Amino acid sequence: MQQDTTGRPFLLAAYAFAVAMCGTTLPTPLYQYYQRQLGFSPLMVTVIFAVYAVGVIVALLLLGQVSDSVGRRPVLLAGLALSALSAACFLFERGLPELFAGRVLSGLSAGLFTGTATAAVVELAPRRWAGTATLAATAANMGGLGSGPLLAGLLAQYAPDPLRQVFLVDLALVAVATVGVLLIPETVRDRGRGAALRPRRLHVPPSVRPAFVPAAMAGFAGFATMGLFTSVAPSFLSDVVGIGAPAVSGTVVFVLFAASTAGQMLMGRVGVHRALPWGCVVLVAGMAVIFASLLAASLPLMVAGAVIAGTGQGLSFRAGVTAVGAYSPPERRAEVTSALFVVLYVAISIPVVGVGAMAVALGLRLSGLVFTACVALLAATTAVLLALRPVESGAGAG
Protein backbone atom coordinates (compact mmCIF):
# COMPACT_ATOMS: atom_id res chain seq x y z
CA MET A 1 0.00 0.00 0.00
CA GLN A 2 1.38 3.39 -1.00
CA GLN A 3 1.57 5.79 1.92
CA ASP A 4 -1.03 8.57 1.67
CA THR A 5 0.38 12.02 2.43
CA THR A 6 -2.86 14.05 2.52
CA GLY A 7 -4.18 12.51 5.74
CA ARG A 8 -7.67 12.05 4.24
CA PRO A 9 -7.91 8.25 4.74
CA PHE A 10 -6.64 8.68 8.30
CA LEU A 11 -9.31 11.31 9.03
CA LEU A 12 -12.05 9.22 7.39
CA ALA A 13 -11.13 6.19 9.52
CA ALA A 14 -11.06 8.33 12.68
CA TYR A 15 -14.46 9.79 11.78
CA ALA A 16 -15.94 6.32 11.27
CA PHE A 17 -14.48 5.24 14.63
CA ALA A 18 -16.05 8.22 16.40
CA VAL A 19 -19.45 7.69 14.73
CA ALA A 20 -19.56 4.00 15.63
CA MET A 21 -18.70 4.68 19.27
CA CYS A 22 -21.13 7.61 19.40
CA GLY A 23 -23.94 5.23 18.51
CA THR A 24 -23.18 3.01 21.50
CA THR A 25 -23.90 5.76 24.06
CA LEU A 26 -26.79 7.59 22.36
CA PRO A 27 -29.48 5.95 24.56
CA THR A 28 -27.92 7.20 27.83
CA PRO A 29 -30.09 10.33 28.35
CA LEU A 30 -33.11 8.56 26.82
CA TYR A 31 -33.47 5.74 29.34
CA GLN A 32 -35.66 7.92 31.57
CA TYR A 33 -38.09 8.36 28.62
CA TYR A 34 -38.19 4.62 27.98
CA GLN A 35 -38.63 4.02 31.71
CA ARG A 36 -41.67 6.30 31.86
CA GLN A 37 -43.07 4.96 28.58
CA LEU A 38 -42.71 1.26 29.42
CA GLY A 39 -42.91 1.45 33.22
CA PHE A 40 -39.84 -0.55 34.16
CA SER A 41 -37.57 -0.21 37.22
CA PRO A 42 -34.03 1.18 37.58
CA LEU A 43 -32.86 -2.46 37.62
CA MET A 44 -34.22 -2.97 34.11
CA VAL A 45 -32.43 0.20 32.95
CA THR A 46 -29.12 -1.28 34.07
CA VAL A 47 -29.89 -4.67 32.52
CA ILE A 48 -30.72 -3.03 29.17
CA PHE A 49 -27.45 -1.16 29.38
CA ALA A 50 -25.45 -4.22 30.48
CA VAL A 51 -26.41 -6.42 27.52
CA TYR A 52 -24.29 -4.03 25.47
CA ALA A 53 -21.24 -5.39 27.28
CA VAL A 54 -22.32 -8.93 26.42
CA GLY A 55 -22.26 -8.00 22.73
CA VAL A 56 -18.81 -6.40 23.08
CA ILE A 57 -17.34 -9.43 24.87
CA VAL A 58 -18.79 -11.87 22.32
CA ALA A 59 -17.32 -9.82 19.46
CA LEU A 60 -13.94 -9.54 21.19
CA LEU A 61 -13.75 -13.27 21.87
CA LEU A 62 -15.03 -14.50 18.49
CA LEU A 63 -14.05 -11.77 16.04
CA GLY A 64 -11.30 -9.74 17.69
CA GLN A 65 -8.61 -10.81 15.21
CA VAL A 66 -10.72 -11.36 12.09
CA SER A 67 -9.60 -8.09 10.44
CA ASP A 68 -6.03 -9.43 10.36
CA SER A 69 -7.30 -12.10 7.96
CA VAL A 70 -10.09 -10.49 5.91
CA GLY A 71 -8.89 -6.89 6.03
CA ARG A 72 -9.81 -3.76 7.95
CA ARG A 73 -12.42 -2.37 5.56
CA PRO A 74 -14.81 -5.38 5.56
CA VAL A 75 -14.82 -5.46 9.36
CA LEU A 76 -15.34 -1.70 9.64
CA LEU A 77 -18.23 -1.92 7.17
CA ALA A 78 -19.75 -4.80 9.16
CA GLY A 79 -19.43 -2.75 12.35
CA LEU A 80 -21.18 0.20 10.73
CA ALA A 81 -23.96 -2.09 9.45
CA LEU A 82 -24.49 -3.37 12.99
CA SER A 83 -24.52 0.20 14.27
CA ALA A 84 -27.20 1.10 11.71
CA LEU A 85 -29.28 -1.95 12.68
CA SER A 86 -28.99 -0.92 16.34
CA ALA A 87 -30.24 2.58 15.50
CA ALA A 88 -33.12 1.04 13.53
CA CYS A 89 -34.13 -1.04 16.57
CA PHE A 90 -34.39 2.12 18.66
CA LEU A 91 -36.05 4.06 15.85
CA PHE A 92 -38.85 1.47 15.52
CA GLU A 93 -38.93 0.54 19.22
CA ARG A 94 -42.21 -0.85 20.50
CA GLY A 95 -41.03 -2.32 23.80
CA LEU A 96 -38.24 -4.12 25.63
CA PRO A 97 -37.37 -6.65 22.85
CA GLU A 98 -36.25 -3.85 20.51
CA LEU A 99 -34.28 -2.15 23.29
CA PHE A 100 -32.43 -5.37 24.11
CA ALA A 101 -31.78 -6.13 20.44
CA GLY A 102 -30.52 -2.60 19.84
CA ARG A 103 -28.08 -2.80 22.75
CA VAL A 104 -26.72 -6.23 21.75
CA LEU A 105 -26.19 -5.06 18.16
CA SER A 106 -24.51 -1.92 19.47
CA GLY A 107 -22.17 -4.03 21.59
CA LEU A 108 -21.27 -6.25 18.65
CA SER A 109 -20.51 -3.12 16.61
CA ALA A 110 -18.26 -1.71 19.34
CA GLY A 111 -16.49 -5.04 19.78
CA LEU A 112 -15.68 -5.16 16.07
CA PHE A 113 -14.65 -1.53 15.91
CA THR A 114 -12.48 -1.13 19.00
CA GLY A 115 -9.47 -3.11 17.82
CA THR A 116 -9.99 -2.87 14.07
CA ALA A 117 -10.51 0.89 13.90
CA THR A 118 -7.59 1.53 16.25
CA ALA A 119 -5.35 -0.50 13.94
CA ALA A 120 -6.74 1.19 10.81
CA VAL A 121 -6.27 4.72 12.18
CA VAL A 122 -2.67 3.97 13.17
CA GLU A 123 -1.88 2.26 9.85
CA LEU A 124 -3.40 5.06 7.76
CA ALA A 125 -1.66 7.91 9.58
CA PRO A 126 0.75 9.90 7.38
CA ARG A 127 4.36 9.65 8.52
CA ARG A 128 4.30 13.18 9.90
CA TRP A 129 1.45 12.17 12.25
CA ALA A 130 2.80 8.76 13.20
CA GLY A 131 3.78 9.85 16.70
CA THR A 132 0.24 10.91 17.57
CA ALA A 133 -1.71 8.26 15.65
CA THR A 134 -2.48 6.09 18.69
CA LEU A 135 -3.59 9.13 20.64
CA ALA A 136 -5.81 10.15 17.71
CA ALA A 137 -7.43 6.71 17.77
CA THR A 138 -8.02 7.07 21.51
CA ALA A 139 -9.49 10.53 21.02
CA ALA A 140 -11.84 9.23 18.30
CA ASN A 141 -12.92 6.39 20.59
CA MET A 142 -13.50 8.45 23.72
CA GLY A 143 -14.73 11.48 21.78
CA GLY A 144 -17.35 9.33 20.09
CA LEU A 145 -18.42 7.76 23.38
CA GLY A 146 -18.76 11.18 24.99
CA SER A 147 -20.51 12.78 22.02
CA GLY A 148 -23.34 10.22 22.02
CA PRO A 149 -25.00 11.35 25.28
CA LEU A 150 -24.37 15.02 24.46
CA LEU A 151 -25.99 14.74 21.02
CA ALA A 152 -28.91 12.66 22.29
CA GLY A 153 -29.47 14.92 25.29
CA LEU A 154 -29.58 18.09 23.20
CA LEU A 155 -31.91 16.58 20.59
CA ALA A 156 -34.12 15.01 23.26
CA GLN A 157 -34.58 18.39 24.90
CA TYR A 158 -34.90 20.64 21.87
CA ALA A 159 -36.03 18.45 18.95
CA PRO A 160 -39.73 17.61 18.46
CA ASP A 161 -39.44 13.81 18.82
CA PRO A 162 -36.91 12.87 21.53
CA LEU A 163 -37.00 9.11 20.89
CA ARG A 164 -36.78 9.19 17.09
CA GLN A 165 -34.89 12.28 15.90
CA VAL A 166 -31.52 11.32 17.34
CA PHE A 167 -31.50 7.92 15.64
CA LEU A 168 -32.34 9.47 12.28
CA VAL A 169 -29.33 11.75 12.76
CA ASP A 170 -27.24 8.74 13.77
CA LEU A 171 -28.23 6.84 10.63
CA ALA A 172 -27.19 9.83 8.53
CA LEU A 173 -23.81 9.95 10.30
CA VAL A 174 -23.35 6.20 9.78
CA ALA A 175 -24.17 6.57 6.07
CA VAL A 176 -21.46 9.23 5.67
CA ALA A 177 -19.01 7.05 7.63
CA THR A 178 -19.80 4.08 5.36
CA VAL A 179 -18.95 6.13 2.27
CA GLY A 180 -15.75 7.23 3.99
CA VAL A 181 -14.69 3.65 4.78
CA LEU A 182 -15.34 2.65 1.15
CA LEU A 183 -12.91 5.40 0.11
CA ILE A 184 -10.01 4.41 2.38
CA PRO A 185 -7.33 2.00 1.15
CA GLU A 186 -7.02 -1.48 2.62
CA THR A 187 -4.00 -1.74 4.92
CA VAL A 188 -3.90 -5.54 5.31
CA ARG A 189 -1.92 -6.98 2.43
CA ASP A 190 -2.06 -10.72 3.17
CA ARG A 191 -5.83 -11.24 3.06
CA GLY A 192 -7.96 -14.29 2.37
CA ARG A 193 -6.19 -16.58 4.80
CA GLY A 194 -9.53 -17.42 6.43
CA ALA A 195 -10.31 -16.67 10.05
CA ALA A 196 -11.82 -19.51 12.05
CA LEU A 197 -14.83 -18.41 14.09
CA ARG A 198 -13.87 -19.77 17.47
CA PRO A 199 -13.49 -18.30 20.94
CA ARG A 200 -10.15 -16.58 21.40
CA ARG A 201 -7.95 -18.24 23.97
CA LEU A 202 -7.50 -15.96 26.95
CA HIS A 203 -4.54 -16.70 29.17
CA VAL A 204 -2.26 -14.41 31.13
CA PRO A 205 1.28 -15.84 31.44
CA PRO A 206 2.76 -15.75 34.96
CA SER A 207 5.46 -13.28 33.81
CA VAL A 208 2.76 -10.77 32.79
CA ARG A 209 0.67 -10.98 35.96
CA PRO A 210 2.66 -8.40 38.00
CA ALA A 211 1.48 -5.79 35.47
CA PHE A 212 -1.85 -7.39 34.53
CA VAL A 213 -3.34 -7.65 38.03
CA PRO A 214 -3.01 -3.96 39.04
CA ALA A 215 -3.97 -2.84 35.52
CA ALA A 216 -7.09 -5.01 35.66
CA MET A 217 -7.99 -3.77 39.16
CA ALA A 218 -7.54 -0.12 38.21
CA GLY A 219 -9.36 -0.67 34.91
CA PHE A 220 -12.23 -2.43 36.66
CA ALA A 221 -12.74 0.53 38.99
CA GLY A 222 -12.52 3.07 36.15
CA PHE A 223 -14.77 1.23 33.72
CA ALA A 224 -17.35 0.53 36.44
CA THR A 225 -17.51 4.30 36.92
CA MET A 226 -18.04 4.83 33.19
CA GLY A 227 -20.74 2.17 33.20
CA LEU A 228 -22.49 3.93 36.06
CA PHE A 229 -22.47 7.29 34.27
CA THR A 230 -23.65 5.89 30.94
CA SER A 231 -26.54 3.97 32.49
CA VAL A 232 -28.02 5.50 35.64
CA ALA A 233 -26.39 8.95 35.91
CA PRO A 234 -29.50 10.55 34.30
CA SER A 235 -31.62 8.83 36.96
CA PHE A 236 -29.33 10.15 39.70
CA LEU A 237 -29.64 13.67 38.32
CA SER A 238 -33.40 13.41 37.98
CA ASP A 239 -34.35 11.56 41.16
CA VAL A 240 -31.58 12.65 43.56
CA VAL A 241 -30.41 16.07 42.33
CA GLY A 242 -33.82 17.05 40.92
CA ILE A 243 -32.66 17.93 37.39
CA GLY A 244 -34.38 15.91 34.69
CA ALA A 245 -33.24 17.84 31.60
CA PRO A 246 -31.69 15.36 29.15
CA ALA A 247 -29.32 18.04 27.82
CA VAL A 248 -27.85 18.36 31.32
CA SER A 249 -27.45 14.60 31.87
CA GLY A 250 -25.91 14.20 28.41
CA THR A 251 -23.46 17.00 29.13
CA VAL A 252 -22.41 15.48 32.46
CA VAL A 253 -21.61 12.15 30.76
CA PHE A 254 -19.75 14.00 27.99
CA VAL A 255 -17.64 15.75 30.64
CA LEU A 256 -16.62 12.37 32.09
CA PHE A 257 -15.41 11.07 28.71
CA ALA A 258 -13.69 14.36 27.84
CA ALA A 259 -11.83 14.20 31.16
CA SER A 260 -10.86 10.60 30.43
CA THR A 261 -9.38 11.67 27.10
CA ALA A 262 -7.46 14.43 28.87
CA GLY A 263 -6.19 11.94 31.44
CA GLN A 264 -4.93 9.64 28.71
CA MET A 265 -3.14 12.56 27.06
CA LEU A 266 -1.53 13.44 30.40
CA MET A 267 -0.04 9.96 30.77
CA GLY A 268 2.74 10.80 28.33
CA ARG A 269 3.86 13.60 30.64
CA VAL A 270 3.39 11.70 33.90
CA GLY A 271 4.93 8.38 32.74
CA VAL A 272 3.46 4.88 32.93
CA HIS A 273 4.76 3.94 36.36
CA ARG A 274 3.51 7.07 38.08
CA ALA A 275 0.31 7.33 36.04
CA LEU A 276 -1.07 3.95 37.12
CA PRO A 277 -1.00 4.53 40.91
CA TRP A 278 -1.71 8.26 40.66
CA GLY A 279 -4.61 7.59 38.33
CA CYS A 280 -6.08 5.40 41.06
CA VAL A 281 -5.55 8.15 43.65
CA VAL A 282 -7.29 10.70 41.43
CA LEU A 283 -10.14 8.23 40.83
CA VAL A 284 -10.57 7.85 44.61
CA ALA A 285 -10.78 11.64 44.89
CA GLY A 286 -13.38 11.70 42.13
CA MET A 287 -15.46 9.06 43.88
CA ALA A 288 -15.33 11.09 47.08
CA VAL A 289 -16.69 14.15 45.25
CA ILE A 290 -19.43 12.08 43.55
CA PHE A 291 -20.29 10.60 46.99
CA ALA A 292 -20.61 14.16 48.33
CA SER A 293 -22.74 15.20 45.34
CA LEU A 294 -25.24 12.44 46.09
CA LEU A 295 -25.36 13.38 49.77
CA ALA A 296 -25.81 17.08 49.01
CA ALA A 297 -27.94 16.61 45.84
CA SER A 298 -25.53 18.99 44.07
CA LEU A 299 -25.09 19.28 40.31
CA PRO A 300 -21.80 21.28 40.53
CA LEU A 301 -20.31 18.57 42.75
CA MET A 302 -21.50 15.88 40.33
CA VAL A 303 -19.81 17.66 37.42
CA ALA A 304 -16.63 18.17 39.45
CA GLY A 305 -16.66 14.50 40.40
CA ALA A 306 -17.06 13.53 36.75
CA VAL A 307 -14.04 15.66 35.79
CA ILE A 308 -11.82 14.27 38.55
CA ALA A 309 -12.93 10.63 38.19
CA GLY A 310 -12.67 10.78 34.39
CA THR A 311 -9.13 12.14 34.59
CA GLY A 312 -8.11 9.39 37.00
CA GLN A 313 -9.73 6.73 34.84
CA GLY A 314 -7.95 8.01 31.74
CA LEU A 315 -4.56 8.11 33.46
CA SER A 316 -4.80 4.63 34.95
CA PHE A 317 -6.43 3.05 31.88
CA ARG A 318 -3.80 4.15 29.36
CA ALA A 319 -1.00 3.38 31.81
CA GLY A 320 -2.43 -0.07 32.48
CA VAL A 321 -2.78 -0.96 28.79
CA THR A 322 0.74 0.33 28.12
CA ALA A 323 2.26 -1.61 31.02
CA VAL A 324 0.49 -4.84 30.07
CA GLY A 325 1.65 -4.44 26.47
CA ALA A 326 5.24 -3.87 27.59
CA TYR A 327 5.19 -6.97 29.82
CA SER A 328 3.61 -9.24 27.21
CA PRO A 329 5.72 -11.27 24.78
CA PRO A 330 4.97 -10.06 21.23
CA GLU A 331 3.36 -13.35 20.22
CA ARG A 332 0.99 -13.20 23.23
CA ARG A 333 0.26 -9.45 23.26
CA ALA A 334 -3.11 -9.59 21.49
CA GLU A 335 -4.26 -12.47 23.71
CA VAL A 336 -3.29 -10.72 26.94
CA THR A 337 -4.74 -7.37 25.84
CA SER A 338 -8.01 -9.13 24.93
CA ALA A 339 -8.11 -10.68 28.40
CA LEU A 340 -7.70 -7.21 29.91
CA PHE A 341 -10.53 -5.77 27.80
CA VAL A 342 -12.83 -8.64 28.75
CA VAL A 343 -12.25 -7.72 32.42
CA LEU A 344 -12.98 -4.07 31.63
CA TYR A 345 -16.26 -4.82 29.86
CA VAL A 346 -17.34 -7.12 32.68
CA ALA A 347 -16.74 -4.08 34.90
CA ILE A 348 -19.09 -2.00 32.75
CA SER A 349 -21.94 -4.48 33.21
CA ILE A 350 -22.03 -6.48 36.45
CA PRO A 351 -21.44 -3.66 39.00
CA VAL A 352 -23.97 -1.46 37.23
CA VAL A 353 -26.62 -4.18 37.37
CA GLY A 354 -25.79 -4.43 41.09
CA VAL A 355 -26.57 -0.72 41.43
CA GLY A 356 -29.91 -1.28 39.71
CA ALA A 357 -30.76 -4.16 42.03
CA MET A 358 -29.80 -2.13 45.10
CA ALA A 359 -31.83 0.83 43.82
CA VAL A 360 -34.99 -1.28 43.85
CA ALA A 361 -34.45 -2.24 47.49
CA LEU A 362 -32.59 0.78 48.92
CA GLY A 363 -33.31 3.68 46.55
CA LEU A 364 -31.04 5.37 44.02
CA ARG A 365 -29.22 7.64 46.45
CA LEU A 366 -28.12 4.89 48.85
CA SER A 367 -27.22 2.49 46.03
CA GLY A 368 -25.09 5.23 44.46
CA LEU A 369 -23.34 5.89 47.75
CA VAL A 370 -22.55 2.19 48.20
CA PHE A 371 -21.27 1.96 44.62
CA THR A 372 -18.96 4.98 44.88
CA ALA A 373 -17.58 3.71 48.19
CA CYS A 374 -16.83 0.28 46.67
CA VAL A 375 -15.12 1.77 43.61
CA ALA A 376 -13.06 4.10 45.81
CA LEU A 377 -12.02 1.13 47.99
CA LEU A 378 -10.92 -0.90 44.96
CA ALA A 379 -8.97 2.02 43.46
CA ALA A 380 -7.35 2.80 46.83
CA THR A 381 -6.37 -0.86 47.32
CA THR A 382 -4.78 -0.85 43.85
CA ALA A 383 -2.81 2.31 44.64
CA VAL A 384 -1.51 0.78 47.90
CA LEU A 385 -0.49 -2.45 46.11
CA LEU A 386 1.37 -0.42 43.49
CA ALA A 387 3.11 1.59 46.19
CA LEU A 388 4.27 -1.65 47.84
CA ARG A 389 5.18 -3.38 44.56
CA PRO A 390 5.63 -0.96 41.65
CA VAL A 391 5.33 -2.24 38.10
CA GLU A 392 8.79 -2.32 36.56
CA SER A 393 9.43 -1.33 32.96
CA GLY A 394 8.77 -4.15 30.51
CA ALA A 395 9.98 -6.83 32.93
CA GLY A 396 8.11 -9.63 31.31
CA ALA A 397 8.36 -8.70 27.76
CA GLY A 398 11.06 -11.04 26.83
Side-chain angles (χ1 to χ4, degrees):
M1 183 194 73
Q2 185 177 1
Q3 180 71 33
D4 181 272
T5 59
T6 66
R8 188 181 69 174
F10 166 78
L11 294 174
L12 290 173
Y15 169 77
F17 197 180
V19 167
M21 303 315 291
C22 174
T24 68
T25 52
L26 282 176
T28 295
L30 307 179
Y31 288 131
Q32 55 185 316
Y33 289 92
Y34 293 121
Q35 192 173 2
R36 287 197 295 266
Q37 175 182 289
L38 301 174
F40 49 74
S41 68
L43 173 60
M44 186 56 68
V45 172
T46 59
V47 172
I48 294 168
F49 170 80
V51 297
Y52 160 79
V54 174
V56 175
I57 292 170
V58 168
L60 285 173
L61 292 177
L62 289 180
L63 302 168
Q65 292 175 306
V66 72
S67 73
D68 293 333
S69 301
V70 303
R72 308 290 185 224
R73 285 202 309 173
V75 176
L76 294 177
L77 290 170
L80 289 170
L82 290 167
S83 183
L85 288 172
S86 171
C89 286
F90 282 97
L91 188 61
F92 300 107
E93 171 270 325
R94 294 293 181 269
L96 284 174
E98 289 85 4
L99 296 183
F100 278 111
R103 292 304 289 160
V104 171
L105 290 167
S106 184
L108 291 170
S109 172
L112 282 179
F113 247 85
T114 301
T116 303
T118 299
V121 169
V122 171
E123 291 162 355
L124 290 167
R127 288 188 179 90
R128 66 183 183 278
W129 296 345
T132 58
T134 301
L135 187 58
T138 297
N141 188 347
M142 289 295 171
L145 289 169
S147 297
L150 181 63
L151 174 63
L154 291 172
L155 288 176
Q157 184 150 347
Y158 299 113
D161 190 347
L163 297 182
R164 301 287 183 270
Q165 196 90 34
V166 65
F167 296 106
L168 291 173
V169 172
D170 184 45
L171 285 170
L173 295 173
V174 169
V176 174
T178 301
V179 173
V181 170
L182 290 170
L183 292 175
I184 66 175
E186 178 56 67
T187 58
V188 177
R189 296 180 180 179
D190 186 16
R191 300 191 301 277
R193 289 172 288 158
L197 190 66
R198 60 177 181 271
R200 183 186 292 188
R201 178 174 174 265
L202 297 180
H203 175 69
V204 180
S207 62
V208 183
R209 291 172 194 168
F212 185 91
V213 171
M217 291 173 65
F220 195 100
F223 271 63
T225 302
M226 289 193 151
L228 180 78
F229 270 78
T230 47
S231 59
V232 294
S235 297
F236 283 142
L237 289 168
S238 176
D239 297 355
V240 177
V241 181
I243 298 175
V248 174
S249 61
T251 301
V252 170
V253 179
F254 172 79
V255 164
L256 177 79
F257 282 99
S260 173
T261 304
Q264 293 183 52
M265 294 172 68
L266 281 173
M267 195 218 73
R269 294 176 176 269
V270 176
V272 174
H273 310 300
R274 286 186 296 173
L276 189 53
W278 278 107
C280 293
V281 171
V282 175
L283 182 58
V284 171
M287 289 296 103
V289 176
I290 293 169
F291 189 97
S293 76
L294 293 173
L295 282 178
S298 168
L299 176 61
L301 281 177
M302 179 71 77
V303 173
V307 171
I308 299 168
T311 303
Q313 185 275 337
L315 267 174
S316 59
F317 167 61
R318 188 178 173 200
V321 171
T322 302
V324 167
Y327 260 68
S328 302
E331 70 276 8
R332 307 290 295 275
R333 194 164 289 143
E335 175 188 344
V336 174
T337 303
S338 294
L340 178 62
F341 273 94
V342 167
V343 171
L344 300 183
Y345 277 98
V346 167
I348 275 181
S349 55
I350 293 178
V352 171
V353 173
V355 170
M358 280 193 294
V360 173
L362 306 175
L364 269 173
R365 186 197 300 264
L366 186 53
S367 65
L369 293 172
V370 171
F371 175 89
T372 52
C374 290
V375 169
L377 179 61
L378 177 58
T381 301
T382 308
V384 170
L385 290 176
L386 286 165
L388 296 174
R389 184 177 294 181
V391 175
E392 300 300 330
S393 178

